[in-house]
Amino acid sequence: MLFSLKSATAVSAAALSLVFATETFAADVTWNVSLWGKRRAFTEHVEKLAEEVSAKTDGKFELKLNYGEALSKSRENLDGISFGAFEMAQICASYHPDKNPSLTVLELPFLGVKDLNEEIKVSMKLYEHPAVKEDLARWNAMALMPSPMPQYNFAGKGDAPKTVSDFDGMRVRALGGIGQLMNAVGAVPTSVTASETYQAIDSGTVAAASFAPHAHLSFKVVEVADWWTKNLNPGTVQCPVIVNIDAYNALPDDFKAALDSSVSPALAHYLETYDKVYEKWWPELENRGVTQIEFSEEDLAAFSEKAGPIHAAWVEENTANGLPAQEILDMVKTTLSN
């Protein structure tokens, strides 16, 4: 009995010591980050951000990445940020355009964004606009960095479109301005989520989906696709990483500096990662026998003509809702032209 008591005392002491050790080495601040899907090119800058922040604070500031919609549905991340369910999240403006209308300017079709570097430049410029800050602040949110997306070309199953008219009546997964563009050429856009797209195409619910190459790979669209629009380049989506304003303001100054200074290396890592995506993308198309469709200059011009009225309608609608919409669109076009 005496031996058992001593053993129990020793075990208790060891357990108490472990608790103190755990507390000693635990992060001083832990932020939960809400993500959907699995780790992929789209999330690599968030991975790098977490790594950089931890290194700069000796592990005292941790970004805990939660994948697979473990904390929230992708369409509800902005809501979760608004009431502090978590401190950081990725969102896509087109999932809830009425809640973040200022961000949707970068989802307008045929803006002329040439590459991911330009997408980063124009996104960061947009986030600094006072009206955009005010727009997001309604949800207690601020934009930290973009998730720069290449042009959202279509991958589809069945008969491949060869001209603009071939999209007439086609049901497609297309969000934001791309969806509006496809509607203008007679297609039927739907807002199927990324994780539902493979099943939607495989079952015939939709014929095609617009995604960046990494998403066509990650969500396995390429596995059911017969064709891909190589040069349509209709536009892209705006998917920033946002943070809860209260959580950000509560950070010690050195933690804020660590977070802010980690954005640049995080985005540089993202660009390096996306170069590797293309190294995989082209062979994947060829190995699967996916037809790469190249539209004529006449067809591309016909698509482009449809974008003008969509831009004008965006300005009119958002001006009526209190945004300096023309000013924002002009700033975007000026930034891209410089």
Side-chain angles (χ1 to χ4, degrees):
M1 181 68 179
L2 182 59
F3 174 79
S4 298
L5 181 60
K6 286 182 177 179
S7 298
T9 301
V11 170
S12 297
L16 190 59
S17 175
L18 180 61
V19 169
F20 285 142
T22 301
E23 290 180 347
T24 300
F25 292 105
D28 292 350
V29 174
T30 299
W31 274 16
N32 277 303
V33 184
S34 183
L35 306 167
W36 64 90
K38 61 183 180 179
R39 181 174 179 175
R40 56 203 188 281
F42 182 69
T43 62
E44 274 304 302
H45 56 331
V46 189
E47 292 278 354
K48 184 64 173 178
L49 188 78
E51 177 187 316
E52 290 280 327
V53 165
S54 179
K56 290 174 181 177
T57 61
D58 295 324
K60 294 180 180 179
F61 183 11
E62 177 190 8
L63 301 182
K64 185 177 180 182
L65 310 188
N66 297 271
Y67 284 96
E69 299 186 320
L71 300 182
S72 171
K73 297 292 185 183
S74 57
R75 294 177 183 274
E76 298 171 5
N77 273 344
L78 183 58
D79 296 316
I81 286 289
S82 71
F83 53 77
F86 34 82
E87 292 80 13
M88 182 182 291
Q90 274 182 306
I91 65 169
C92 286
S94 51
Y95 281 171
H96 29 64
D98 56 322
K99 293 181 178 180
N100 45 213
S102 62
L103 294 179
T104 62
V105 66
L106 291 184
E107 297 191 331
L108 291 172
F110 287 101
L111 282 174
V113 180
K114 297 182 181 67
D115 54 36
L116 295 185
N117 281 300
E118 280 202 346
E119 185 71 27
I120 290 173
K121 180 178 73 170
V122 73
S123 294
M124 295 300 281
K125 183 75 172 178
L126 180 68
Y127 302 159
E128 288 301 311
H129 195 285
V132 176
K133 289 184 174 182
E134 184 179 346
D135 188 20
L136 288 175
R138 296 182 299 138
W139 308 99
N140 202 18
M142 57 178 280
L144 183 68
M145 63 179 177
S147 305
M149 294 284 97
Q151 292 293 299
Y152 262 44
N153 278 294
F154 285 86
K157 185 177 180 180
D159 294 336
K162 301 293 176 59
T163 65
V164 174
S165 61
D166 290 339
F167 282 105
D168 189 27
M170 184 184 294
R171 194 170 182 83
V172 298
R173 188 267 185 191
L175 306 179
I178 302 173
Q180 292 177 317
L181 176 69
M182 299 313 293
N183 183 65
V185 297
V188 183
T190 69
S191 57
V192 177
T193 64
S195 58
E196 297 169 332
T197 302
Y198 171 90
Q199 182 60 36
I201 293 179
D202 192 42
S203 65
T205 303
V206 300
S210 66
F211 271 140
H214 79 271
H216 281 306
L217 290 169
S218 295
F219 295 104
K220 301 182 178 180
V221 174
V222 70
E223 295 181 14
V224 291
D226 298 320
W227 51 268
W228 181 66
T229 60
K230 183 177 181 179
N231 71 334
L232 182 58
N233 298 333
T236 187
V237 295
Q238 172 60 203
C239 299
V241 176
I242 60 171
V243 301
N244 175 279
I245 290 175
D246 292 338
Y248 180 82
N249 289 339
L251 288 174
D253 288 343
D254 56 337
F255 284 16
K256 282 183 186 176
L259 180 63
D260 294 342
S261 65
S262 296
V263 169
S264 182
L267 289 171
H269 174 71
Y270 183 102
L271 293 176
E272 291 171 5
T273 301
Y274 222 96
D275 285 341
K276 296 175 184 177
V277 170
Y278 281 113
E279 291 175 7
K280 182 178 180 181
W281 175 243
W282 302 116
E284 187 77 10
L285 291 178
E286 292 181 9
N287 292 340
R288 292 187 177 277
V290 176
T291 301
Q292 298 185 44
I293 301 165
E294 294 194 56
F295 292 94
S296 68
E297 290 298 322
E298 292 77 13
D299 273 312
L300 292 176
F303 268 107
S304 184
E305 283 179 9
K306 301 291 184 180
I310 294 172
H311 292 192
W314 183 88
V315 169
E316 182 179 359
E317 177 185 354
N318 287 289
T319 299
N321 290 331
L323 275 179
Q326 188 64 60
E327 176 186 318
I328 291 173
L329 180 57
D330 289 345
M331 181 203 69
V332 165
K333 291 183 176 180
T334 299
T335 300
L336 289 172
S337 65
N338 290 338

